[in-house]
């Protein structure tokens, strides 16, 4: 019998964390982080990482597990999700995955195969050299040539995913998009996807306010501390909320321009998150506003009670 798992997804700043705590309390659950950046130690403010107080005694997993100079792939995420789903279920508790990293969550739920695609360190180093010398756009254009379908799904600036797609083609002779066609179409778990959606202008206002709050909470100091520790070149520091303020810290951009770029990139990311989740997964969407959040959460918990049971 498949294990039952709930996943709470949606764009940044929509209210996923608050709902997850309410759900965990209602259904004897524990939370698995589904945000690719919250795995990093020391990246707290800029990732909107849940605080100990906000957890309200609910166990959380896959937070603060690696330093910012280590890579954390979708395969790593998949492995950890399986481990924690098994351990949480063994305690007769409900695993609740919460986050907005669509590819990672999809890979974990559907059991995508990564182990068959071994890396060639020399080829990877060559691709990274090309990024440094000719820019991410050059590599993305190369992916367009061999796998236009996959190139369309990957933003040119996300050069790590571009490199991975090129590696798969190099080692297998087959485009990554062809490999995806043969991936498991059935989820590994008895999965219930809960999506939170907010009218675009309201969401963007929430995002702008959250960005201001992050800055007030010490985001720039957090970025500077990571910069001083030598993490500037790490993949983690290319995350929204960090890359924008590196330019300010290095004296290359004004504070005002950095803040505006931070907000704009956050809004654009939310739009991409919506597109991903609505195109890739079978999700039950619930509308939410800042004023009716409690009412929406009650509706969600009532709907879920009939399928996962109540504590």
């Amino acid at each position: 019998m498949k294990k039952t798992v709930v996943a709470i997804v949606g764009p940044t700043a929509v209210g996923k964390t608050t709902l997850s705590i309410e759900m965990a309390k209602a259904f004897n659950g524990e939370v698995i982080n589904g945000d690719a950046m919250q795995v990093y130690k020391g990246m707290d403010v800029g990732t909107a990482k849940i605080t100990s107080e906000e957890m309200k005694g609910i166990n959380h997993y896959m937070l603060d597990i690696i330093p910012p100079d280590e890579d954390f792939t979708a395969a790593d995420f998949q492995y950890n999700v399986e481990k924690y789903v098994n351990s949480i279920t063994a305690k007769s508790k409900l695993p609740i995955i919460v986050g907005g990293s669509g590819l990672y969550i999809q890979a974990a739920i559907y059991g995508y195969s990564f182990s068959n695609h071994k890396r060639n360190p020399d080829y990877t180093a060559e691709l990274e050299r090309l990024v440094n010398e000719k820019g991410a756009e050059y590599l993305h254009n190369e992916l367009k040539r061999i796998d236009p379908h996959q190139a369309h799904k990957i933003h040119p600036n996300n050069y790590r995913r571009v490199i991975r797609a090129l590696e798969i083609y190099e080692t297998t002779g087959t485009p990554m998009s062809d490999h995806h066609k043969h991936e498991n179409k059935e989820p590994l778990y008895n999965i219930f996807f809960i999506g939170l959606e907010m009218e675009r202008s309201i969401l963007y206002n929430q995002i702008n306010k959250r960005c201001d709050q992050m800055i007030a909470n010490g985001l720039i100091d957090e970025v500077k501390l990571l910069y001083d520790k030598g993490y500037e070149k790490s993949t983690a520091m290319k995350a929204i909320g960090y890359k924008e303020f590196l330019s300010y810290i290095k004296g290359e951009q004004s504070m005002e321009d950095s803040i505006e770029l931070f907000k704009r990139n956050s809004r654009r990311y939310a739009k991409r998150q919506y597109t991903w989740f609505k195109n890739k997964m079978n999700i039950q969407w619930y509308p939410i506003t800042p004023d009716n959040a409690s009412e929406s959460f009650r509706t969600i918990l009532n709907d879920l009670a009939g399928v996962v049971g109540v504590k």
Side-chain angles (χ1 to χ4, degrees):
M1 180 179 291
K2 291 182 178 180
K3 297 176 175 65
T4 295
V5 175
V6 175
I8 302 173
V9 301
T12 184
V14 78
K16 299 185 296 294
T17 297
T18 304
L19 173 60
S20 70
I21 297 301
E22 295 301 312
M23 187 177 293
K25 290 192 295 185
F27 300 113
N28 192 25
E30 295 185 344
V31 175
I32 301 171
N33 164 49
D35 184 298
M37 302 311 299
Q38 292 186 5
V39 301
Y40 292 108
K41 299 175 182 176
M43 300 181 72
D44 304 328
V45 180
T47 65
K49 194 177 295 177
I50 189 170
T51 65
S52 297
E53 293 76 19
E54 291 169 337
M55 289 180 185
K56 296 184 179 179
I58 302 297
N59 286 336
H60 282 65
Y61 302 95
M62 228 188 313
L63 296 169
D64 300 319
I65 59 175
I66 58 172
D69 58 348
E70 292 186 16
D71 287 337
F72 191 79
T73 67
D76 296 324
F77 180 81
Q78 180 192 75
Y79 169 82
N80 279 277
V81 166
E82 181 179 10
K83 177 177 69 173
Y84 290 125
V85 165
N86 289 340
S87 64
I88 294 169
T89 303
K91 295 184 287 185
S92 298
K93 291 177 175 285
L94 176 67
I96 304 170
I97 302 173
V98 184
S101 297
L103 173 66
Y104 282 45
I105 293 174
Q106 185 182 34
I109 297 302
Y110 288 91
Y112 285 177
S113 175
F114 298 96
S115 58
N116 295 332
H117 311 313
K118 301 300 182 184
R119 312 194 94 138
N120 179 338
D122 293 335
Y123 183 65
T124 302
E126 172 64 15
L127 294 178
E128 291 177 345
R129 183 186 66 79
L130 288 172
V131 170
N132 292 329
E133 290 185 1
K134 299 186 177 183
E137 189 73 31
Y138 175 85
L139 223 59
H140 193 260
N141 286 335
E142 180 63 14
L143 182 59
K144 279 184 185 176
R145 184 180 67 80
I146 64 172
D147 191 356
H149 182 74
Q150 195 65 22
H152 178 73
K153 296 194 295 184
I154 302 176
H155 192 280
N157 290 342
N158 194 345
Y159 72 90
R160 291 289 181 184
R161 284 189 62 200
V162 173
I163 286 176
R164 188 62 182 136
L166 290 170
E167 286 176 332
I168 288 174
Y169 181 78
E170 172 71 12
T171 56
T172 68
T174 305
M176 189 175 187
S177 55
D178 286 356
H179 287 276
H180 284 174
K181 290 177 184 176
H182 302 292
E183 294 286 6
N184 187 14
K185 297 299 189 295
E186 289 295 320
L188 299 178
Y189 308 106
N190 182 28
I191 181 74
F192 297 94
F193 279 113
I194 305 297
L196 298 181
E197 60 180 344
M198 189 176 288
E199 195 275 319
R200 194 65 54 90
S201 63
I202 299 175
L203 176 64
Y204 285 176
N205 184 55
Q206 289 293 105
I207 290 172
N208 289 338
K209 288 197 295 186
R210 170 179 275 194
C211 291
D212 288 334
Q213 189 61 54
M214 286 178 172
I215 294 168
N217 289 346
L219 173 58
I220 296 171
D221 289 339
E222 181 172 276
V223 177
K224 188 175 188 309
L225 180 61
L226 293 166
Y227 175 76
D228 290 342
K229 288 183 175 180
Y231 292 131
E232 178 188 359
K233 301 296 184 181
S234 67
T235 302
M237 289 293 279
K238 292 178 174 59
I240 295 170
Y242 295 89
K243 61 183 179 181
E244 295 86 0
F245 291 107
L246 277 175
S247 296
Y248 164 70
I249 289 168
K250 294 164 66 177
E252 300 169 352
Q253 188 168 261
S254 70
M255 169 73 83
E256 293 76 14
D257 287 345
S258 296
I259 292 173
E260 182 53 41
L261 193 59
F262 174 35
K263 292 180 178 179
R264 189 197 71 183
N265 288 344
S266 297
R267 295 191 300 267
R268 289 181 175 178
Y269 177 56
K271 184 177 180 181
R272 293 197 301 273
Q273 286 175 299
Y274 265 136
T275 300
W276 177 278
F277 286 120
K278 295 208 171 189
N279 289 341
K280 298 288 184 179
M281 300 180 193
N282 183 21
I283 296 170
Q284 176 66 49
W285 290 96
Y286 291 86
I288 185 173
T289 71
D291 296 329
N292 78 350
S294 295
E295 181 181 343
S296 296
F297 291 169
R298 282 196 298 270
T299 299
I300 293 169
L301 297 182
N302 287 336
D303 288 352
L304 203 57
V307 291
V308 301
V310 182
K311 179 181 176 182

